[in-house]
Amino acid sequence: MGRQIEVTELILRDAHQSLMATRMAMEDMVPVCEDLDNAGFWSLECWGGATYDACIRYLNEDPWERLRTFRELMPKTRLQMLLRGQNLLGYRHYEDGVVERFCDKAAKNGMDVFRIFDALNDLRNLKTAIDAVKRTGKEAQGTICYTVSPVHTTEAFIEMAQQLKDMGADSICIKDMAALLKPQPAYDLVRGIKQTCGEDTRIHLHCHATTGVTFVSLMKAIEAGCDVVDTSVSSLSLGSGHNPTEALVEMLEGTGYETRLDLKRIRPVRDHFAEVRKRYRHFMSDFTVIDTDIFESQIPGGMLSNMENQLKGQGAGDRVREVMEEVPRVRADSGFPPLVTPSSQIVGTQAVFNVLTGRYKTMTSEFADLMLGYYGTTQGEKNAEVLQQAEAQQQKPAITGRPADLLEPEWDQLRDAAAALEGFNGSDEDVLTYAMFPQVSTKFFKTRHEGAKSLAKDPEASKTTEAPAPAAGAGGAARKDPVTYVVTLNGREHQVRVSPAA
Amino acid sequence: MGRQIEVTELILRDAHQSLMATRMAMEDMVPVCEDLDNAGFWSLECWGGATYDACIRYLNEDPWERLRTFRELMPKTRLQMLLRGQNLLGYRHYEDGVVERFCDKAAKNGMDVFRIFDALNDLRNLKTAIDAVKRTGKEAQGTICYTVSPVHTTEAFIEMAQQLKDMGADSICIKDMAALLKPQPAYDLVRGIKQTCGEDTRIHLHCHATTGVTFVSLMKAIEAGCDVVDTSVSSLSLGSGHNPTEALVEMLEGTGYETRLDLKRIRPVRDHFAEVRKRYRHFMSDFTVIDTDIFESQIPGGMLSNMENQLKGQGAGDRVREVMEEVPRVRADSGFPPLVTPSSQIVGTQAVFNVLTGRYKTMTSEFADLMLGYYGTTQGEKNAEVLQQAEAQQQKPAITGRPADLLEPEWDQLRDAAAALEGFNGSDEDVLTYAMFPQVSTKFFKTRHEGAKSLAKDPEASKTTEAPAPAAGAGGAARKDPVTYVVTLNGREHQVRVSPAA
């Protein structure tokens, strides 16, 4: 009894990623950094793939500069990032040398804790990043993407935790991006990891709030020995976001567990974001109440708002539920991958296509690659028929090895390509930006000198940037003409033309 | 293990009372009655003071007809109501004969479970109602209004539960209207009651969700032996409302506790109210996220939205936080009453006056009566200075006896007065309506023949009914003229004139 529970605050990264499409401008975060740094958090999550992408795509902001600013403004508390293993913050696999350079640069720019995951839980995709982070002396946190399927068991997850420890992970994170982790499984999983990997294994728990059950899961995980839990300040919490920080503090009263958080420091942060959120209303999800249908569709928080935006932009906002029902079918066909970036987008976009054009009438090349093992292995078997179609379409065989083993050293080539771009600043950081977002960075380098901008307060301008209007108008009730939809997947646009069946 | 947890569904009463100012029209509830009746709930809460009041004040609907309709449409499941002890559904104390007649009539019209409480937890105010309900053969549920103060302890609440049982209560309800019941106190209180009053004592737990912690409290209460918990279907849940029914079902998976609810029956109910809520947006509270400040102000769910509406109607919507800070002071002065109807309105309105005009510059007669014991005794001592002011103002002494003992039999007089009204239908039910809402019923009896109406879709018309505009315009920034505010307390209008101090 009397155990201290540590907290990771998510408001600078995942909270606004989940609730306002990652659009928060740096100027809206700077005013609260001092309070956050003094509130007693174990770490402040502030960097990841979507924030990096949004910086250069929408905010004309250098993500490395953002990191350095956070470091300067918050010198006392660990800064934490989410890293997609061999994918870094991009959407393809990178050759090991690029992964190593990224980790080194992130550490040098001020990152302390690297939460490293692979969307398929394929540990071979984490190895290089864990090793690279450990060489910098920073924390390499090994991550289990929690999911529910006929092939995912508590025992398998516990074994995965042990493998992560064996690979050198400093701590273990259970990442529940779709709010699927119920209280009893949370208890069993945390207890099982502690028993198998040792009571001194530090366990972090990251749950979204979408289904409404995970605040109870945090409690049960704490009772089972969980050391650090993730929450976000209440004014940007709940819905497809996270459980509220202040409520966690209050909830523990009298339990023998307590945080070292200072609510007096958190109150001004809460009041600040209560005002900020009003100015980003145009980016906020419609899903304001809880949704237990997700126990069937398993669509994670960040994916929900993206899919809604995508469908709305195509005048098909009313088909969200249909797509939610298609997602689990596509997931089963592809061997039950957990749904998290990039597998969530790949499966989600394929589900959108299946609903709009018919099942696998159009197969994205990303989905075909997922079927063929080019993202790694999945826990479950794949649908043989769909696999065959993928092979035929991609004109290449299925693989079983580590995807990055197919890659040649690519750093010099990336540097040369970046160096040829207008506005390239010569740094390795710029090369990494180019490596991860080749098209977007080309535009960003050119406009960087204009300085960071904010999309707050101006809903119309940002909406057109975000979701291209359908080529043939928004979906009318009795439409007979073919409609062309534009579906954006991993930054690439796909055009799809839909006509009535007969 | 394997214990069955029963559930009371709140969507027909407290959910829309807390989230949409009790305005839901009967026509929006009828379509889901069949699903609700077949979903496996222990009871369906569907009647109480605010719904009765809203029926005749805003919806031109006979509340007794509503009750009979519910009974007819939901024959399989217990119907439940919330009864304010000696206050019935009104705002004053009634003579015992009136209380007895009300209970008898409610039972005859179809009510099964009477959840009986007193705002001050003064058990003398519950006795007549408990006895009357027991004579009808229906369930008399004794209620503890949970609150936190220097004078309220777990032991005192356990003792109160025992006294309720001794008085003949069939079950015990812990009513946490302000979402103050944290997980560990919930566990301790439920366990303590079971240990003291017997493990076969059926315990019901009613929590609001406002502070974000009480879903965990439900879990801990269940672990402690709680038998029945209150929730509401997710599309009208959270905020100042209640924890979501579907999430409760999901949360319990694997814990050994389970409900007998059929989610397939609940899904259409959820979808229905997800649409309904859009048409009542103009009545919905601004407080959509959780608020842990309530641990200080202790303002219950239903009171928050009322106070907001009240202040907004007076052009003082920006002073909500000030009033929230004044409430605990007023509460301490009056002996730490729990805050629930009518004490919440009495304390809340006095706090509004204190903020708008200065502390106790204007004392409502209701607050003065509370100070003088005319609502019953409070657990704590009263502020002597404020008590003296109350005595001077009301020109009557403080009392210590049961307030209703001062009342003469009043039924015949009430019947005569009601009989004189245009549109009176001759029934005892109409006499009771008149008894509880003399002014509003006078108007309602006249217009009843026009039939029930709905306030959905038409925000402007209903807003003027609800909150009178200030006599001298909405609060400008640099106002120098006196402003007259109209504060409505228990249906009575108070005019207050405010000028700059000098």
Short mmCIF file of all heavy atoms in Angstrom, two decimals, chain A residues 182-184 211-213 215-216 219-220 223 238 246-247 250-251 253-254 267 270 277 289-290 292-293 295-296, chain B residues 182-184 211-213 215-216 219-220 223 234 238 246-247 250-251 253-254 267 270 277 289-290 292-293 295-296:
data_model
loop_
_atom_site.label_atom_id
_atom_site.label_comp_id
_atom_site.label_asym_id
_atom_site.label_seq_id
_atom_site.Cartn_x
_atom_site.Cartn_y
_atom_site.Cartn_z
N LYS A 182 -10.43 -4.37 -21.42
CA LYS A 182 -11.39 -4.33 -20.32
C LYS A 182 -10.69 -4.53 -18.97
O LYS A 182 -9.55 -5.00 -18.93
CB LYS A 182 -12.46 -5.41 -20.56
CG LYS A 182 -13.32 -5.11 -21.78
CD LYS A 182 -14.35 -6.19 -22.05
CE LYS A 182 -15.14 -5.87 -23.32
NZ LYS A 182 -16.13 -6.92 -23.64
N PRO A 183 -11.38 -4.19 -17.89
CA PRO A 183 -10.72 -4.22 -16.57
C PRO A 183 -10.07 -5.56 -16.21
O PRO A 183 -8.91 -5.60 -15.81
CB PRO A 183 -11.86 -3.87 -15.62
CG PRO A 183 -12.78 -3.01 -16.43
CD PRO A 183 -12.73 -3.58 -17.81
N GLN A 184 -10.80 -6.66 -16.35
CA GLN A 184 -10.22 -7.93 -15.91
C GLN A 184 -9.03 -8.36 -16.79
O GLN A 184 -7.98 -8.72 -16.26
CB GLN A 184 -11.30 -9.02 -15.89
CG GLN A 184 -10.86 -10.30 -15.19
CD GLN A 184 -10.52 -10.08 -13.72
OE1 GLN A 184 -11.22 -9.34 -13.02
NE2 GLN A 184 -9.43 -10.67 -13.24
N THR A 211 -14.50 3.50 -25.64
CA THR A 211 -15.58 2.58 -25.28
C THR A 211 -16.15 2.83 -23.90
O THR A 211 -17.11 2.17 -23.49
CB THR A 211 -15.07 1.13 -25.30
OG1 THR A 211 -13.98 1.05 -24.36
CG2 THR A 211 -14.59 0.72 -26.67
N GLY A 212 -15.52 3.74 -23.15
CA GLY A 212 -16.03 4.07 -21.82
C GLY A 212 -15.60 3.14 -20.70
O GLY A 212 -15.89 3.41 -19.55
N VAL A 213 -14.91 2.06 -21.00
CA VAL A 213 -14.58 1.10 -19.93
C VAL A 213 -13.16 1.24 -19.39
O VAL A 213 -12.83 0.71 -18.34
CB VAL A 213 -14.76 -0.38 -20.37
CG1 VAL A 213 -16.13 -0.59 -20.99
CG2 VAL A 213 -13.66 -0.82 -21.33
N PHE A 215 -11.25 3.55 -18.05
CA PHE A 215 -10.84 4.21 -16.81
C PHE A 215 -10.85 3.18 -15.68
O PHE A 215 -9.98 3.19 -14.80
CB PHE A 215 -11.79 5.37 -16.50
CG PHE A 215 -11.20 6.38 -15.56
CD1 PHE A 215 -9.93 6.89 -15.74
CD2 PHE A 215 -11.94 6.84 -14.47
CE1 PHE A 215 -9.38 7.83 -14.87
CE2 PHE A 215 -11.41 7.78 -13.59
CZ PHE A 215 -10.13 8.27 -13.79
N VAL A 216 -11.80 2.28 -15.75
CA VAL A 216 -11.83 1.17 -14.79
C VAL A 216 -10.63 0.26 -15.02
O VAL A 216 -10.03 -0.26 -14.07
CB VAL A 216 -13.15 0.40 -14.88
CG1 VAL A 216 -13.24 -0.65 -13.78
CG2 VAL A 216 -14.35 1.35 -14.82
N MET A 219 -7.64 1.46 -13.23
CA MET A 219 -7.70 1.11 -11.80
C MET A 219 -7.27 -0.33 -11.57
O MET A 219 -6.46 -0.61 -10.68
CB MET A 219 -9.14 1.34 -11.30
CG MET A 219 -9.31 1.10 -9.80
SD MET A 219 -8.61 2.43 -8.79
CE MET A 219 -7.68 1.49 -7.59
N LYS A 220 -7.82 -1.24 -12.39
CA LYS A 220 -7.49 -2.65 -12.19
C LYS A 220 -6.02 -2.92 -12.53
O LYS A 220 -5.37 -3.75 -11.89
CB LYS A 220 -8.38 -3.57 -13.03
CG LYS A 220 -9.87 -3.46 -12.73
CD LYS A 220 -10.21 -3.60 -11.27
CE LYS A 220 -10.14 -5.04 -10.77
NZ LYS A 220 -10.60 -5.13 -9.35
N GLU A 223 -4.04 -1.86 -9.60
CA GLU A 223 -4.13 -2.89 -8.56
C GLU A 223 -3.24 -4.08 -8.87
O GLU A 223 -2.75 -4.77 -7.97
CB GLU A 223 -5.58 -3.36 -8.39
CG GLU A 223 -6.48 -2.29 -7.77
CD GLU A 223 -7.95 -2.72 -7.66
OE1 GLU A 223 -8.28 -3.86 -8.07
OE2 GLU A 223 -8.76 -1.91 -7.18
N LEU A 238 -11.49 12.18 -23.00
CA LEU A 238 -12.66 11.35 -23.31
C LEU A 238 -12.94 11.25 -24.82
O LEU A 238 -12.10 11.59 -25.63
CB LEU A 238 -13.88 11.85 -22.53
CG LEU A 238 -13.71 11.77 -21.00
CD1 LEU A 238 -14.93 12.32 -20.29
CD2 LEU A 238 -13.45 10.33 -20.57
N GLU A 246 -7.05 14.71 -14.14
CA GLU A 246 -7.50 15.14 -12.80
C GLU A 246 -8.36 14.07 -12.16
O GLU A 246 -8.31 13.86 -10.94
CB GLU A 246 -8.32 16.44 -12.90
CG GLU A 246 -7.60 17.60 -13.55
CD GLU A 246 -7.95 17.69 -15.03
OE1 GLU A 246 -7.72 16.70 -15.75
OE2 GLU A 246 -8.45 18.73 -15.47
N ALA A 247 -9.20 13.39 -12.97
CA ALA A 247 -10.05 12.35 -12.42
C ALA A 247 -9.22 11.18 -11.90
O ALA A 247 -9.58 10.53 -10.91
CB ALA A 247 -11.06 11.88 -13.46
N GLU A 250 -8.05 12.14 -8.43
CA GLU A 250 -9.15 12.08 -7.46
C GLU A 250 -9.59 10.65 -7.20
O GLU A 250 -9.90 10.27 -6.07
CB GLU A 250 -10.35 12.89 -7.99
CG GLU A 250 -10.08 14.36 -8.24
CD GLU A 250 -10.03 15.18 -6.95
OE1 GLU A 250 -10.17 14.60 -5.85
OE2 GLU A 250 -9.86 16.41 -7.05
N MET A 251 -9.63 9.85 -8.26
CA MET A 251 -10.10 8.47 -8.15
C MET A 251 -9.30 7.66 -7.14
O MET A 251 -9.82 6.75 -6.50
CB MET A 251 -10.00 7.83 -9.53
CG MET A 251 -10.04 6.33 -9.54
SD MET A 251 -9.92 5.69 -11.22
CE MET A 251 -8.21 5.19 -11.33
N GLU A 253 -7.95 8.51 -4.36
CA GLU A 253 -8.00 8.90 -2.95
C GLU A 253 -8.46 7.75 -2.06
O GLU A 253 -9.49 7.13 -2.28
CB GLU A 253 -8.95 10.10 -2.76
CG GLU A 253 -8.86 10.67 -1.36
CD GLU A 253 -9.85 11.80 -1.12
OE1 GLU A 253 -10.00 12.66 -1.99
OE2 GLU A 253 -10.46 11.80 -0.04
N GLY A 254 -7.67 7.48 -1.08
CA GLY A 254 -8.03 6.45 -0.11
C GLY A 254 -7.70 5.03 -0.52
O GLY A 254 -7.89 4.09 0.27
N ARG A 267 -4.77 22.79 -13.21
CA ARG A 267 -5.99 23.58 -13.42
C ARG A 267 -5.82 24.65 -14.51
O ARG A 267 -6.64 24.76 -15.41
CB ARG A 267 -6.42 24.20 -12.09
CG ARG A 267 -7.88 24.56 -12.06
CD ARG A 267 -8.35 24.76 -10.62
NE ARG A 267 -8.41 23.50 -9.89
CZ ARG A 267 -8.33 23.40 -8.55
NH1 ARG A 267 -8.17 24.47 -7.82
NH2 ARG A 267 -8.41 22.21 -7.97
N ARG A 270 -5.83 23.00 -17.87
CA ARG A 270 -7.19 22.63 -18.24
C ARG A 270 -7.96 23.85 -18.76
O ARG A 270 -8.59 23.79 -19.82
CB ARG A 270 -7.92 22.08 -17.02
CG ARG A 270 -9.38 21.79 -17.28
CD ARG A 270 -10.19 21.73 -16.00
NE ARG A 270 -10.23 23.03 -15.35
CZ ARG A 270 -10.72 23.25 -14.13
NH1 ARG A 270 -11.16 22.25 -13.42
NH2 ARG A 270 -10.72 24.46 -13.61
N ARG A 277 -9.83 24.51 -27.42
CA ARG A 277 -10.63 23.53 -28.18
C ARG A 277 -11.76 24.19 -28.96
O ARG A 277 -12.14 23.72 -30.03
CB ARG A 277 -11.14 22.40 -27.31
CG ARG A 277 -12.20 22.78 -26.29
CD ARG A 277 -12.66 21.55 -25.49
NE ARG A 277 -13.58 20.72 -26.25
CZ ARG A 277 -13.81 19.43 -26.03
NH1 ARG A 277 -13.17 18.80 -25.08
NH2 ARG A 277 -14.66 18.76 -26.75
N VAL A 289 -19.84 10.98 -27.46
CA VAL A 289 -20.17 10.05 -26.38
C VAL A 289 -19.47 8.72 -26.64
O VAL A 289 -18.82 8.54 -27.65
CB VAL A 289 -21.70 9.84 -26.25
CG1 VAL A 289 -22.34 11.08 -25.70
CG2 VAL A 289 -22.31 9.46 -27.56
N ILE A 290 -19.58 7.83 -25.73
CA ILE A 290 -18.85 6.58 -25.85
C ILE A 290 -19.52 5.67 -26.87
O ILE A 290 -20.69 5.80 -27.17
CB ILE A 290 -18.73 5.88 -24.49
CG1 ILE A 290 -20.10 5.37 -24.05
CG2 ILE A 290 -18.12 6.75 -23.44
CD1 ILE A 290 -20.15 3.91 -23.98
N THR A 292 -19.62 1.59 -27.72
CA THR A 292 -19.20 0.22 -27.43
C THR A 292 -19.26 -0.68 -28.67
O THR A 292 -18.84 -1.82 -28.62
CB THR A 292 -20.05 -0.39 -26.30
OG1 THR A 292 -21.42 -0.21 -26.61
CG2 THR A 292 -19.73 0.26 -24.97
N ASP A 293 -19.76 -0.15 -29.79
CA ASP A 293 -19.70 -0.92 -31.03
C ASP A 293 -18.26 -1.23 -31.41
O ASP A 293 -18.00 -2.16 -32.18
CB ASP A 293 -20.34 -0.14 -32.19
CG ASP A 293 -21.86 -0.17 -32.12
OD1 ASP A 293 -22.39 -0.90 -31.27
OD2 ASP A 293 -22.49 0.54 -32.90
N PHE A 295 -16.11 -2.55 -29.77
CA PHE A 295 -15.71 -3.90 -29.37
C PHE A 295 -15.89 -4.86 -30.55
O PHE A 295 -15.27 -5.90 -30.60
CB PHE A 295 -16.51 -4.38 -28.15
CG PHE A 295 -16.04 -3.73 -26.88
CD1 PHE A 295 -16.88 -2.88 -26.17
CD2 PHE A 295 -14.76 -3.94 -26.42
CE1 PHE A 295 -16.44 -2.28 -25.00
CE2 PHE A 295 -14.31 -3.33 -25.26
CZ PHE A 295 -15.15 -2.49 -24.54
N GLU A 296 -16.73 -4.51 -31.50
CA GLU A 296 -16.84 -5.32 -32.71
C GLU A 296 -15.92 -4.84 -33.83
O GLU A 296 -15.20 -5.60 -34.43
CB GLU A 296 -18.30 -5.36 -33.19
CG GLU A 296 -19.15 -6.24 -32.30
CD GLU A 296 -20.63 -6.18 -32.65
OE1 GLU A 296 -20.97 -6.08 -33.84
OE2 GLU A 296 -21.43 -6.22 -31.71
N LYS B 182 -16.08 8.53 -4.49
CA LYS B 182 -14.87 7.96 -5.10
C LYS B 182 -14.83 6.45 -4.88
O LYS B 182 -15.54 5.92 -4.03
CB LYS B 182 -13.64 8.65 -4.50
CG LYS B 182 -13.55 10.13 -4.88
CD LYS B 182 -12.36 10.81 -4.25
CE LYS B 182 -12.34 12.28 -4.66
NZ LYS B 182 -11.22 13.01 -4.03
N PRO B 183 -13.99 5.76 -5.66
CA PRO B 183 -14.00 4.30 -5.60
C PRO B 183 -13.80 3.69 -4.21
O PRO B 183 -14.57 2.81 -3.81
CB PRO B 183 -12.85 3.92 -6.55
CG PRO B 183 -12.80 5.04 -7.53
CD PRO B 183 -13.14 6.28 -6.74
N GLN B 184 -12.80 4.15 -3.48
CA GLN B 184 -12.55 3.51 -2.19
C GLN B 184 -13.67 3.78 -1.18
O GLN B 184 -14.16 2.85 -0.53
CB GLN B 184 -11.18 3.96 -1.63
CG GLN B 184 -10.71 3.15 -0.43
CD GLN B 184 -10.51 1.68 -0.76
OE1 GLN B 184 -9.99 1.34 -1.82
NE2 GLN B 184 -10.95 0.78 0.12
N THR B 211 -17.83 14.07 -12.41
CA THR B 211 -16.41 14.21 -12.07
C THR B 211 -15.52 13.20 -12.77
O THR B 211 -14.30 13.27 -12.65
CB THR B 211 -16.21 14.00 -10.56
OG1 THR B 211 -16.70 12.69 -10.22
CG2 THR B 211 -16.96 15.04 -9.74
N GLY B 212 -16.12 12.25 -13.48
CA GLY B 212 -15.32 11.28 -14.22
C GLY B 212 -14.83 10.09 -13.42
O GLY B 212 -14.26 9.17 -13.99
N VAL B 213 -15.04 10.06 -12.11
CA VAL B 213 -14.49 8.96 -11.31
C VAL B 213 -15.50 7.86 -10.99
O VAL B 213 -15.11 6.78 -10.55
CB VAL B 213 -13.88 9.45 -9.97
CG1 VAL B 213 -12.93 10.61 -10.18
CG2 VAL B 213 -14.97 9.84 -8.97
N PHE B 215 -17.52 5.80 -12.56
CA PHE B 215 -17.64 4.51 -13.22
C PHE B 215 -16.75 3.50 -12.49
O PHE B 215 -17.11 2.33 -12.33
CB PHE B 215 -17.25 4.63 -14.69
CG PHE B 215 -17.79 3.52 -15.55
CD1 PHE B 215 -19.11 3.13 -15.47
CD2 PHE B 215 -16.97 2.85 -16.45
CE1 PHE B 215 -19.61 2.10 -16.26
CE2 PHE B 215 -17.46 1.83 -17.25
CZ PHE B 215 -18.78 1.46 -17.15
N VAL B 216 -15.61 3.98 -12.05
CA VAL B 216 -14.73 3.13 -11.23
C VAL B 216 -15.40 2.82 -9.89
O VAL B 216 -15.29 1.71 -9.37
CB VAL B 216 -13.36 3.80 -11.03
CG1 VAL B 216 -12.40 2.85 -10.33
CG2 VAL B 216 -12.77 4.25 -12.37
N MET B 219 -17.63 -0.08 -10.14
CA MET B 219 -16.88 -1.34 -10.11
C MET B 219 -16.51 -1.72 -8.68
O MET B 219 -16.70 -2.87 -8.27
CB MET B 219 -15.61 -1.18 -10.97
CG MET B 219 -14.77 -2.45 -11.10
SD MET B 219 -15.53 -3.68 -12.20
CE MET B 219 -15.39 -5.16 -11.22
N LYS B 220 -16.00 -0.75 -7.93
CA LYS B 220 -15.58 -1.06 -6.56
C LYS B 220 -16.79 -1.40 -5.68
O LYS B 220 -16.71 -2.24 -4.79
CB LYS B 220 -14.79 0.10 -5.95
CG LYS B 220 -13.50 0.46 -6.68
CD LYS B 220 -12.59 -0.72 -6.94
CE LYS B 220 -11.85 -1.18 -5.70
NZ LYS B 220 -10.86 -2.25 -6.06
N GLU B 223 -17.71 -4.90 -6.40
CA GLU B 223 -16.78 -5.79 -5.70
C GLU B 223 -17.12 -5.89 -4.21
O GLU B 223 -16.85 -6.90 -3.56
CB GLU B 223 -15.33 -5.31 -5.88
CG GLU B 223 -14.82 -5.49 -7.30
CD GLU B 223 -13.40 -4.96 -7.52
OE1 GLU B 223 -12.79 -4.44 -6.56
OE2 GLU B 223 -12.91 -5.05 -8.65
N SER B 234 -26.00 4.88 -23.58
CA SER B 234 -24.82 5.71 -23.83
C SER B 234 -25.10 7.01 -24.57
O SER B 234 -24.44 8.01 -24.32
CB SER B 234 -23.76 4.91 -24.58
OG SER B 234 -24.22 4.54 -25.85
N LEU B 238 -23.01 10.33 -19.53
CA LEU B 238 -21.81 11.13 -19.19
C LEU B 238 -22.13 12.60 -18.94
O LEU B 238 -23.28 12.96 -18.77
CB LEU B 238 -20.74 10.93 -20.26
CG LEU B 238 -20.23 9.49 -20.40
CD1 LEU B 238 -19.19 9.37 -21.48
CD2 LEU B 238 -19.66 8.98 -19.07
N GLU B 246 -24.22 0.40 -21.69
CA GLU B 246 -23.50 -0.60 -22.50
C GLU B 246 -22.08 -0.82 -21.98
O GLU B 246 -21.56 -1.93 -22.00
CB GLU B 246 -23.44 -0.18 -23.97
CG GLU B 246 -24.79 0.09 -24.61
CD GLU B 246 -25.11 1.58 -24.57
OE1 GLU B 246 -25.13 2.16 -23.46
OE2 GLU B 246 -25.36 2.15 -25.65
N ALA B 247 -21.45 0.29 -21.55
CA ALA B 247 -20.08 0.16 -21.06
C ALA B 247 -20.05 -0.66 -19.77
O ALA B 247 -19.09 -1.39 -19.52
CB ALA B 247 -19.47 1.55 -20.84
N GLU B 250 -20.03 -4.30 -20.80
CA GLU B 250 -18.74 -4.69 -21.36
C GLU B 250 -17.66 -4.74 -20.28
O GLU B 250 -16.80 -5.61 -20.27
CB GLU B 250 -18.31 -3.70 -22.45
CG GLU B 250 -19.27 -3.61 -23.64
CD GLU B 250 -19.17 -4.79 -24.59
OE1 GLU B 250 -18.37 -5.71 -24.35
OE2 GLU B 250 -19.91 -4.79 -25.60
N MET B 251 -17.70 -3.77 -19.39
CA MET B 251 -16.69 -3.65 -18.36
C MET B 251 -16.59 -4.90 -17.49
O MET B 251 -15.53 -5.25 -17.02
CB MET B 251 -17.03 -2.44 -17.49
CG MET B 251 -16.36 -2.42 -16.13
SD MET B 251 -16.83 -0.94 -15.21
CE MET B 251 -18.05 -1.58 -14.09
N GLU B 253 -16.96 -8.00 -18.24
CA GLU B 253 -16.53 -9.25 -18.86
C GLU B 253 -15.31 -9.85 -18.17
O GLU B 253 -14.29 -9.19 -17.98
CB GLU B 253 -16.20 -9.01 -20.35
CG GLU B 253 -15.99 -10.32 -21.09
CD GLU B 253 -15.59 -10.10 -22.54
OE1 GLU B 253 -16.16 -9.24 -23.20
OE2 GLU B 253 -14.65 -10.80 -22.98
N GLY B 254 -15.45 -11.07 -17.79
CA GLY B 254 -14.34 -11.78 -17.18
C GLY B 254 -14.16 -11.54 -15.69
O GLY B 254 -13.29 -12.15 -15.06
N ARG B 267 -29.20 -1.46 -28.24
CA ARG B 267 -28.65 -0.76 -29.40
C ARG B 267 -29.67 0.15 -30.10
O ARG B 267 -29.37 1.32 -30.34
CB ARG B 267 -28.03 -1.78 -30.37
CG ARG B 267 -26.98 -1.18 -31.28
CD ARG B 267 -26.13 -2.26 -31.92
NE ARG B 267 -25.26 -2.90 -30.93
CZ ARG B 267 -24.74 -4.12 -31.05
NH1 ARG B 267 -25.03 -4.87 -32.10
NH2 ARG B 267 -23.95 -4.61 -30.12
N ARG B 270 -30.26 3.18 -28.01
CA ARG B 270 -29.14 4.12 -28.15
C ARG B 270 -29.25 4.93 -29.44
O ARG B 270 -29.13 6.15 -29.43
CB ARG B 270 -27.82 3.33 -28.16
CG ARG B 270 -26.62 4.21 -28.42
CD ARG B 270 -25.43 3.41 -28.91
NE ARG B 270 -25.70 2.80 -30.22
CZ ARG B 270 -24.92 1.93 -30.82
NH1 ARG B 270 -23.82 1.52 -30.23
NH2 ARG B 270 -25.23 1.44 -32.01
N ARG B 277 -31.42 13.52 -29.20
CA ARG B 277 -30.66 14.55 -28.49
C ARG B 277 -30.33 15.74 -29.40
O ARG B 277 -30.24 16.87 -28.92
CB ARG B 277 -29.39 13.98 -27.84
CG ARG B 277 -28.29 13.54 -28.79
CD ARG B 277 -27.06 13.04 -28.01
NE ARG B 277 -26.27 14.13 -27.46
CZ ARG B 277 -25.45 14.03 -26.42
NH1 ARG B 277 -25.33 12.89 -25.77
NH2 ARG B 277 -24.75 15.06 -26.01
N VAL B 289 -17.44 17.96 -20.93
CA VAL B 289 -16.35 17.14 -20.41
C VAL B 289 -16.45 17.08 -18.88
O VAL B 289 -17.30 17.72 -18.29
CB VAL B 289 -14.97 17.67 -20.84
CG1 VAL B 289 -14.76 17.42 -22.31
CG2 VAL B 289 -14.80 19.13 -20.50
N ILE B 290 -15.60 16.31 -18.29
CA ILE B 290 -15.72 16.10 -16.85
C ILE B 290 -15.18 17.30 -16.10
O ILE B 290 -14.41 18.09 -16.62
CB ILE B 290 -14.99 14.82 -16.41
CG1 ILE B 290 -13.48 15.03 -16.58
CG2 ILE B 290 -15.47 13.63 -17.15
CD1 ILE B 290 -12.78 15.01 -15.27
N THR B 292 -13.67 18.15 -12.31
CA THR B 292 -13.31 17.72 -10.96
C THR B 292 -13.36 18.87 -9.95
O THR B 292 -13.18 18.64 -8.76
CB THR B 292 -11.90 17.07 -10.95
OG1 THR B 292 -10.99 17.94 -11.61
CG2 THR B 292 -11.92 15.73 -11.66
N ASP B 293 -13.61 20.09 -10.42
CA ASP B 293 -13.82 21.19 -9.47
C ASP B 293 -15.00 20.92 -8.56
O ASP B 293 -15.11 21.49 -7.48
CB ASP B 293 -14.10 22.50 -10.22
CG ASP B 293 -12.83 23.09 -10.80
OD1 ASP B 293 -11.74 22.56 -10.50
OD2 ASP B 293 -12.92 24.08 -11.53
N PHE B 295 -15.54 18.50 -6.83
CA PHE B 295 -15.12 17.99 -5.53
C PHE B 295 -15.03 19.13 -4.51
O PHE B 295 -15.13 18.91 -3.33
CB PHE B 295 -13.79 17.24 -5.63
CG PHE B 295 -13.94 15.89 -6.27
CD1 PHE B 295 -13.34 15.61 -7.48
CD2 PHE B 295 -14.71 14.91 -5.66
CE1 PHE B 295 -13.50 14.36 -8.08
CE2 PHE B 295 -14.88 13.67 -6.25
CZ PHE B 295 -14.27 13.40 -7.47
N GLU B 296 -14.87 20.34 -4.99
CA GLU B 296 -14.90 21.48 -4.08
C GLU B 296 -16.30 22.08 -3.95
O GLU B 296 -16.79 22.32 -2.87
CB GLU B 296 -13.90 22.54 -4.52
CG GLU B 296 -12.47 22.11 -4.23
CD GLU B 296 -11.43 23.07 -4.78
OE1 GLU B 296 -11.68 24.29 -4.79
OE2 GLU B 296 -10.38 22.58 -5.23
#
